[in-house]
Every structure is written in structure tokens, then in C-alpha cells.
């Protein structure tokens, strides 16, 4: 009988063999190895790992190594096809069961499962809740159960899915099958909810750093949002069009922004829940398969998006929470290449989000939680220190200043805003006490700046003691003061029209007993390109290519695009950019040399090896030899 140590060593060798033979990788990254070995040995696991950190391999490899089929609970039916397609390209036996299939297709997959012919089976949580589904699963053998996007179990979270709550009893139905809960987005509170609601109290917890070092974070004040967006996108496309995602809050904004980008010559498509399902599927498919396409979307788009070469994520409206912002920006740069998370936000965003919370109909506890989420988001926007430090601190992680965000690259100037804050609050107090009136920011700014408007004349606000005492600041500066005071909780908004009112902190400001530090807004004249940004790279990205290797890299990209079109698959399923980069640098001349290139497993070597060698040889023949001195 083999000893436990021998068995563990065998499992470790088997996991490494799959990593190398199937996926073409030669080393595990981060915590991948201990996670995989723990699950292969039959242990339960909770895995918190950032997008692009190699989370999928943590359940895919145990599913291949252990006998039986790995069950993957995935929240988005629309993405299962692409996930399975990518696995099949690696030579992994994978399938899904969902409502898009015909009865014959489902019957074929069900039979494959019963016969033990699948390594991985993807299902949505809603299907797993259907009567008879668990009985069907007992007709085969499960190797591992992986609950992906497990933060969806959190009732306080931004992506709550009720059917995730029913996944906690899987241990009862399938005793002895190791279970995994995986996510890229979890605060300490969400982490606890995942553990409790999924009945994973005895699981081992693996928490990787949430830092995405290759992403450059930048937040700017919203001035002319569409023009700012076009300028930003063009700055990212100096070497040709790049893929990106633009997030907006409403369907109307999505449609209007996509149309505007198209008018400016930028290839863009809209995506939101109000579009016909066939249109949504087509737009998502095009985004995944085409290079240089921009998708403009509500948050209905994105969870689980596997496209590795998204070069930017832009927000033109303020996200509701840091969790949502982190998850959405995490869709950029999954390949480790320099990428940008860009956002514009203004006073209107703050007022709108507060109004949504007030009108949401939730009880006091829900509103307090939503306000705390928004407060954290505003703190990230208004910070004068490193944005990455602020972002990671929200998830309980500390780090030094990153050097790869706008506040590190150009530290904002801070000024003493006590006097302007007192002027504004005094105006609010006088209107309330003397006239029983309340107004939004625009009218209060007009009063402070001594404007001559019909509304001021109508209400005789020229008679107020504070009329005209703020004409030392222009309109944009005053709006910045209002926005930052709201973000710091120095005053509040109420009602449908964003009426400004006092908070519990206002009295200290009026009394001069607290400091009011405000940052000078800086509107970028021209947004930095990815090349100009400090943009740290992950270890997988390596150093920039030299000119000769860059030319070969582009030739290989052209070949990859043609191959992907011919096979009707996304380009990254053929090869990722990191593989093309390695090919361009090392220029292999034989199939044996190709085996050493990252990302080329046995199936891809067989499918593309000869073609790749031919492309490299053709390129080298076309390049003139250097002249003799």
C-alpha cells in the first residue's frame, strides 16, 4: 500500500503533467499549486484570487486529475459556450447544460456525463435548483464541485443571485466530493457570507493579493463626458484600435454613447438588458471574436468575460460600490499587459446615486449598507493619496504607493476649503431658517456667485447676506467644492431634485472646529496613452518587444486573426498574446522547440504547430539580411 506522502507526490506530479501537457505552462503561478494539490487530495477550498490570476486552472486541473467529471456552477449561460470552446481547444473534454440547447443536444451531453466521457460540465445555479437535476448528477461520478463567482451568494453584494443560496446543501447530496468556492471580488463581510451560506466552515482558505499591478487607475472630473471619452479611447489606440469596455448607468446613455463613438469613427456596439436576446448574443460574440472593438454597456455585461486582451475599461458614470468597480475594471488586462481603468465622475453622479438609494424602497439597514458602499466609492474618487492603496485597503490589504495611478504620477494639490464650505452651509441655513426653502447645487452656486437669473429675482435672493460672497470661485470650482463636501459627508442631498441639506458634520464646519481639505481638480488635456502611463507589468508580460520582434508579433497576430475567423472562434482561443510574444522573441524552428513555448499544449501543438513554424520562416525570409560593413 502506498504511503500518504507517496500518494501526495503522485498527485503533485499528475497536476504538473496536466499543466504542461494540456495547457502548455511550465510553472504554477501564485497559490495555484497548493490550491490544486489540496483539492486533488479531496479537500474543500475557498479561493479569493483576482481576475487574470489563473483562478480557472484551480478547478480545471483537479477535475482532470481526479476520476469523474468536474461540475462547474457558473452564473452566466451566455459565457458557457466560450468557456467550453476554450477548453476544447486545449483538448479538454468539456460541455454545458443550459436552456440554449435543443433536447437532442442536452440528451447527448447527459449521456456523455453518465458514461464518464466529460472532464468538466458547466451548469447555471438555476438549473442546479431544478427538480431532478441532482438525481441526474448521481447517475454519474463527480470529481469536484466548483462554485464560480461565489460572491453572488452574498445578499448584501452587488451581484446577488438567489439560486446561489441553494448551493449550500451540495455536501449532503454529494458526500466526499471536494467543493470549491471561487471569486475575484470579496470583502471580509462577503468572504464570511460565502463560508457560512455555502457550508464551507471546514474549507481551507486561499486569499491571494487583489492587486492588479498592470492596471493604471485614473479618475478625472466629468466635464464634457463624450469628448473626454473619445479623447481617452484615441489615446489608447496609438498603435491601432484596441478592445475596451465602456460602462454607463442607463440604457439610454449606453445607446447614445455607442452611437456617438460610431460617429467619431470608433468601432463600438451597445449592450444592455433591454436589447433583444439575439442582438445581445451577437454583440457579445463579436466583442469576444473581433479585435479593436469597443462595447458600451450597463453592468448587465461582463461577469466572467474571458477575453484576455481588453486594454481598457472606462466608466462614464459612478459605480455603486467599490466591489462593482473592482470587478468591472478587472476585465482589463487579464493577459498581464499594461491596461487602463479610466473613469470620469461629477457632482451629478453623487446626487443621482444618493437619490437612487433614497428611492430604492429598502429598509433602513439596506439603505445604510448602500450608503456605506457609495461612501467608499466616493472616498476612492476623492483620495489625494495612492488610488491602489485606497482600493486594496477596502479589501483588507495594505500596500505601498504603487506609482501606477494618476495620484502617484501627478500628486493632486490640496487646498484649505473651510471658508468656501462655511459660505455654502451658511447659505443653506439662511434659506431654511429665514424662508423655509431648499435648493440644489446649481441655484446655491448662483447665489454665492451673485448671478442675475430669473429664479434669483423671483425668490428675491439678492437680499440674502450670502449673495455674491463666493464670486472668487468660478462655477466649475464651486461644483467641485459641492461634490467633495458631499463625498466627505459634510452635507447631504434629499428628495428627487438633489436639494442640499445639513449633515451631522455640518455644525463642526460652521463652527470652524474641523479642517476641510479639498483637492484641485485636474482635467487631462490629453489622456495618457498606455505607453506613457507608468504601467507596471506582471511577470508574464515581460519587457517590451524590440522593433524586429514587434514586426513578427504583428505578423503572427494577422495569422491568428485569419485562423480564428476560419474556425469561427475568438482569436485568444487560438493563442494568447503572451504566447505570440514568446514566439516572436524565441523564433522556434522545430516542433520540439515549440513545446517549450508557454501556452502551447499537446492539442495546440498538433493543431497549429506546422502553421506557426511556416509563418515564422516566411517572415524571416522576407526580412532583408543586414548589410556587411
Amino acid at each position: 500500500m502506498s504511503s500518504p506522502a507517496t500518494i501526495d507526490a503522485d498527485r503533485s506530479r499528475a497536476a504538473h503533467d496536466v499543466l504542461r501537457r494540456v495547457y502548455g505552462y511550465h510553472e504554477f503561478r501564485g497559490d495555484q499549486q497548493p490550491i490544486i494539490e489540496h483539492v486533488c487530495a479531496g479537500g474543500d477550498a475557498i479561493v479569493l484570487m483576482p481576475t487574470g490570476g489563473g483562478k480557472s486552472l484551480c478547478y480545471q486541473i483537479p477535475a482532470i486529475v481526479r476520476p469523474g467529471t468536474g461540475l462547474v456552477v457558473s452564473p452566466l449561460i451566455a459565457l458557457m459556450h466560450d468557456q467550453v470552446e476554450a477548453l476544447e481547444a486545449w483538448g479538454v473534454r468539456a460541455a454545458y447544460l443550459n436552456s440554449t440547447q435543443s433536447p437532442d443536444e442536452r440528451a447527448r451531453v447527459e449521456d456523455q456525463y453518465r458514461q464518464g466521457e466529460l472532464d468538466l460540465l458547466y451548469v447555471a445555479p438555476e438549473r442546479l435548483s431544478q427538480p431532478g437535476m441532482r438525481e441526474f448528477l448521481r447517475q454519474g461520478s463527480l470529481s469536484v464541485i466548483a462554485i464560480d463567482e461565489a460572491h453572488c451568494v452574498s445578499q448584501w453584494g452587488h451581484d446577488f443571485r438567489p439560486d446561489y443560496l441553494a448551493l449550500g446543501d451540495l455536501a449532503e447530496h454529494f458526500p466526499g466530493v471536494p467543493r470549491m468556492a471561487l471569486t475575484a471580488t470579496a470583502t471580509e463581510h462577503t468572504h464570511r457570507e460565502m463560508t457560512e451560506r455555502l457550508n464551507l466552515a471546514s474549507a481551507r482558505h486561499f486569499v491571494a493579493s487583489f492587486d492588479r499591478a498592470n492596471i493604471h487607475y485614473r479618475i478625472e472630473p466629468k466635464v464634457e463626458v463624450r469628448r473626454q471619452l473619445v479623447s481617452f479611447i484615441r489615446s489608447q489606440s496609438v498603435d491601432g484600435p484596441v478592445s475596451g469596455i465602456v460602462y454607463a448607468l442607463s440604457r439610454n446613455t449606453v445607446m447614445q454613447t455607442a452611437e456617438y463613438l460610431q460617429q467619431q469613427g470608433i468601432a463600438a456596439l451597445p449592450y444592455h438588458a433591454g436589447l433583444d436576446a439575439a442582438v445581445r448574443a451577437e454583440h457579445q460574440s463579436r466583442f469576444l471574436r473581433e479585435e479593436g472593438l469597443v462595447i458600451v454597456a450597463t453592468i448587465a455585461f461582463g461577469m466572467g468575460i474571458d477575453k484576455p486582451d481588453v486594454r481598457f475599461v472606462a466608466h462614464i458614470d459612478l459605480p455603486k460600490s467599490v466591489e462593482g468597480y473592482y470587478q468591472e475594471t478587472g476585465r482589463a488586462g487579464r493577459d498581464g499587459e499594461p491596461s487602463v481603468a479610466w473613469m470620469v465622475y461629477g457632482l451629478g453622479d453623487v446626487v443621482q446615486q444618493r437619490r437612487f438609494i433614497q428611492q430604492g424602497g429598502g429598509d433602513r439597514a439596506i439603505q445604510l449598507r448602500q450608503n456605506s458602499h457609495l461612501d467608499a466609492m466616493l472616498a476612492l474618487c476623492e483620495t489625494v493619496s495612492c488610488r491602489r492603496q485606497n482600493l486594496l485597503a477596502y479589501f483588507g490589504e495594505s500596500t505601498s504607493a504603487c506609482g501606477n495611478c494618476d495620484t502617484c504620477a501627478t500628486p493632486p494639490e490640496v487646498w484649505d476649503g473651510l471658508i468656501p464650505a462655511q459660505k455654502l452651509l451658511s447659505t443653506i441655513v439662511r434659506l431654511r431658517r429665514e424662508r423655509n426653502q431648499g435648493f440644489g447645487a446649481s441655484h446655491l452656486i448662483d447665489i454665492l456667485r451673485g448671478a442675475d437669473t430669473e429664479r434669483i429675482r423671483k425668490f428675491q435672493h439678492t437680499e440674502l447676506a450670502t449673495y455674491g460672497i463666493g464670486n472668487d470661485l468660478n462655477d466649475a470650482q464651486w461644483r467641485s467644492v459641492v461634490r467633495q463636501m458631499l463625498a466627505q459627508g459634510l452635507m447631504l442631498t434629499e428628495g428627487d431634485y438633489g436639494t442640499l441639506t445639513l449633515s451631522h458634520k455640518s455644525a463642526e464646519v460652521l463652527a470652524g472646529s474641523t479642517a476641510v481639505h479639498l483637492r484641485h481638480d485636474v482635467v487631462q488635456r490629453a489622456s495618457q496613452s498606455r505607453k506613457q502611463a507608468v504601467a507596471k507589468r506582471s511577470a508574464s508580460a515581460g519587457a517590451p518587444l524590440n522593433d524586429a520582434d514587434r514586426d513578427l508579433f504583428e505578423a503572427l497576430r494577422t495569422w491568428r486573426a485569419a485562423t480564428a475567423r476560419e474556425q469561427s472562434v475568438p482569436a485568444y482561443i487560438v493563442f494568447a498574446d503572451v504566447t505570440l510574444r514568446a514566439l516572436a522573441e524565441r523564433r522556434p524552428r522545430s516542433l520540439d522547440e515549440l513545446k517549450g513555448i508557454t501556452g502551447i499544449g499537446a492539442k495546440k501543438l498538433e493543431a497549429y504547430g506546422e502553421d506557426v513554424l511556416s509563418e515564422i520562416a516566411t517572415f524571416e525570409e522576407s526580412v532583408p539580411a543586414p548589410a556587411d560593413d
Side-chain angles (χ1 to χ4, degrees):
M1 180 180 289
S2 299
S3 68
T6 301
I7 294 172
D8 289 344
D10 289 344
R11 290 194 184 103
S12 180
R13 281 193 294 271
H16 273 91
D17 176 64
V18 170
L19 179 74
R20 184 172 52 255
R21 174 175 50 82
V22 176
Y23 297 96
Y25 301 137
H26 302 280
E27 293 181 352
F28 286 111
R29 285 192 285 160
D31 289 336
Q32 283 180 331
Q33 182 170 345
I35 295 169
I36 289 168
E37 291 181 353
H38 174 70
V39 177
C40 283
D44 295 338
I46 291 179
V47 178
L48 276 57
M49 185 179 288
T51 303
K55 183 161 51 79
S56 298
L57 288 186
C58 293
Y59 60 80
Q60 290 174 5
I61 290 180
I64 297 170
V65 169
R66 289 174 58 86
T69 300
L71 179 69
V72 183
V73 182
S74 179
L76 290 183
I77 289 175
L79 293 171
M80 290 181 187
H81 176 268
D82 298 294
Q83 291 164 334
V84 167
E85 199 171 52
L87 284 165
E88 289 177 335
W90 292 113
V92 178
R93 302 175 303 170
Y96 55 79
L97 285 173
N98 64 44
S99 57
T100 66
Q101 295 167 302
S102 68
D104 287 345
E105 288 174 323
R106 286 197 296 273
R108 177 179 55 81
V109 172
E110 289 169 356
D111 189 56
Q112 287 176 317
Y113 170 72
R114 292 189 191 97
Q115 299 300 319
E117 297 172 356
L118 294 176
D119 296 312
L120 287 149
L121 176 64
Y122 284 75
V123 300
E126 291 80 4
R127 175 163 292 270
L128 202 52
S129 300
Q130 291 178 2
M133 184 62 186
R134 299 184 188 201
E135 179 57 38
F136 157 70
L137 290 172
R138 279 191 284 269
Q139 296 171 18
S141 174
L142 292 180
S143 57
V144 63
I145 298 172
I147 302 170
D148 203 10
E149 308 292 356
H151 67 276
C152 293
V153 77
S154 173
Q155 290 180 289
W156 292 109
H158 60 290
D159 281 325
F160 174 59
R161 295 279 287 269
D163 285 278
Y164 267 75
L165 296 175
L167 303 179
D169 65 356
L170 289 173
E172 297 176 27
H173 291 273
F174 305 100
V177 178
R179 293 174 300 136
M180 305 177 69
L182 308 100
T183 184
T185 312
T187 60
E188 291 181 12
H189 182 91
T190 302
H191 189 170
R192 286 195 302 272
E193 276 196 274
M194 287 166 50
T195 304
E196 294 166 6
R197 295 183 184 279
L198 296 175
N199 291 326
L200 285 166
S202 61
R204 186 174 168 187
H205 296 239
F206 299 88
V207 182
S209 170
F210 281 87
D211 189 15
R212 296 288 307 282
N214 61 309
I215 295 181
H216 178 79
Y217 295 97
R218 188 155 75 248
I219 301 175
E220 300 176 9
K222 186 182 289 188
V223 183
E224 295 180 274
V225 60
R226 290 181 187 169
R227 291 186 180 180
Q228 287 174 278
L229 177 62
V230 168
S231 175
F232 165 73
I233 293 175
R234 286 176 175 161
S235 74
Q236 304 308 298
S237 307
V238 290
D239 291 329
V242 296
S243 297
I245 304 172
V246 178
Y247 283 110
L249 199 58
S250 73
R251 297 173 183 182
N252 283 341
T253 303
V254 164
M255 298 303 293
Q256 292 166 5
T257 303
E259 183 179 359
Y260 183 80
L261 293 180
Q262 292 165 3
Q263 292 170 353
Q264 301 303 309
I266 295 170
L269 294 172
Y271 187 103
H272 59 74
L275 290 172
D276 181 79
V279 174
R280 291 201 308 273
E282 179 195 354
H283 288 187
Q284 178 170 288
S285 177
R286 285 189 59 188
F287 178 71
L288 291 171
R289 284 163 170 72
E290 296 179 21
E291 299 186 58
L293 193 61
V294 175
I295 199 91
V296 185
T298 60
I299 59 172
F301 177 84
M303 186 192 294
I305 284 292
D306 289 329
K307 187 175 174 65
D309 59 347
V310 175
R311 292 277 68 86
F312 70 83
V313 170
H315 285 85
I316 57 175
D317 290 315
L318 183 70
K320 296 178 182 179
S321 69
V322 174
E323 291 103 316
Y325 172 76
Y326 176 81
Q327 188 175 64
E328 289 149 19
T329 57
R331 288 156 196 155
R334 292 169 59 101
D335 55 6
E337 290 286 328
S339 304
V340 180
W342 179 85
M343 181 168 73
V344 287
Y345 115 102
L347 173 59
D349 291 299
V350 186
V351 174
Q352 184 181 46
Q353 291 286 12
R354 294 290 189 207
R355 185 169 66 245
F356 285 162
I357 293 171
Q358 292 167 8
Q359 296 174 345
D363 61 24
R364 178 169 172 76
I366 291 175
Q367 289 197 353
L368 284 173
R369 182 61 64 107
Q370 290 172 333
N371 274 309
S372 70
H373 285 175
L374 181 57
D375 288 342
M377 191 67 230
L378 294 173
L380 174 64
C381 292
E382 298 294 359
T383 185
V384 296
S385 59
C386 171
R387 292 206 196 276
R388 195 180 309 272
Q389 281 182 319
N390 185 294
L391 181 63
L392 294 179
Y394 185 82
F395 295 102
E397 185 178 341
S398 60
T399 185
S400 57
C402 72
N404 194 22
C405 68
D406 54 353
T407 55
C408 282
T410 309
E413 296 180 13
V414 180
W415 60 288
D416 183 357
L418 178 61
I419 298 302
Q422 289 176 325
K423 291 177 180 179
L424 178 57
L425 293 176
S426 295
T427 305
I428 294 172
V429 170
R430 290 175 185 278
L431 285 167
R432 292 283 187 184
R433 291 179 180 174
E434 298 173 11
R435 308 191 179 203
N436 194 29
Q437 295 174 336
F439 294 91
S442 294
H443 187 68
L444 289 168
I445 291 171
D446 284 343
I447 292 172
L448 288 164
R449 297 193 64 232
D452 181 19
T453 68
E454 181 180 346
R455 205 174 188 204
I456 283 181
R457 292 192 297 272
K458 174 183 175 183
F459 290 108
Q460 299 180 328
H461 285 164
T462 55
E463 299 174 6
L464 289 171
T466 55
Y467 178 77
I469 64 171
N471 58 11
D472 54 325
L473 300 179
N474 62 33
D475 184 79
Q477 290 170 324
W478 267 116
R479 293 184 75 82
S480 176
V481 169
V482 174
R483 189 194 74 232
Q484 293 185 64
M485 288 180 66
L486 286 171
Q488 294 178 33
L490 303 180
M491 60 184 179
L492 303 171
T493 63
E494 63 180 11
D496 293 345
Y497 301 102
T499 300
L500 296 181
T501 187
L502 305 185
S503 74
H504 68 279
K505 296 182 180 180
S506 300
E508 294 179 0
V509 177
L510 287 166
S513 59
T514 186
V516 178
H517 298 300
L518 304 177
R519 55 182 285 160
H520 281 296
D521 283 340
V522 179
V523 180
Q524 300 282 345
R525 292 182 181 177
S527 296
Q528 289 178 305
S529 71
R530 286 180 292 114
K531 288 185 175 181
Q532 293 168 322
V534 178
K536 290 191 257 180
R537 293 168 178 257
S538 70
S540 64
L545 294 170
N546 61 38
D547 289 344
D549 290 347
R550 166 62 61 178
D551 289 342
L552 175 53
F553 175 80
E554 293 300 334
L556 289 169
R557 284 188 71 192
T558 301
W559 165 81
R560 179 183 66 178
T563 302
R565 280 195 301 271
E566 187 177 296
Q567 298 179 358
S568 298
V569 298
Y572 66 84
I573 284 182
V574 177
F575 285 130
D577 278 359
V578 67
T579 300
L580 297 190
R581 172 186 294 277
L583 288 168
E585 289 176 328
R586 294 169 61 175
R587 305 194 179 198
R589 288 173 168 75
S590 69
L591 292 176
D592 279 343
E593 289 182 10
L594 277 177
K595 291 178 183 177
I597 302 293
T598 185
I600 302 183
K603 180 72 180 292
K604 292 195 176 185
L605 181 68
E606 178 186 354
Y608 307 118
E610 295 291 354
D611 289 345
V612 166
L613 293 174
S614 175
E615 287 294 321
I616 294 172
T618 300
F619 174 84
E620 292 189 328
E621 289 171 5
S622 69
V623 177
D628 294 332
D629 292 335

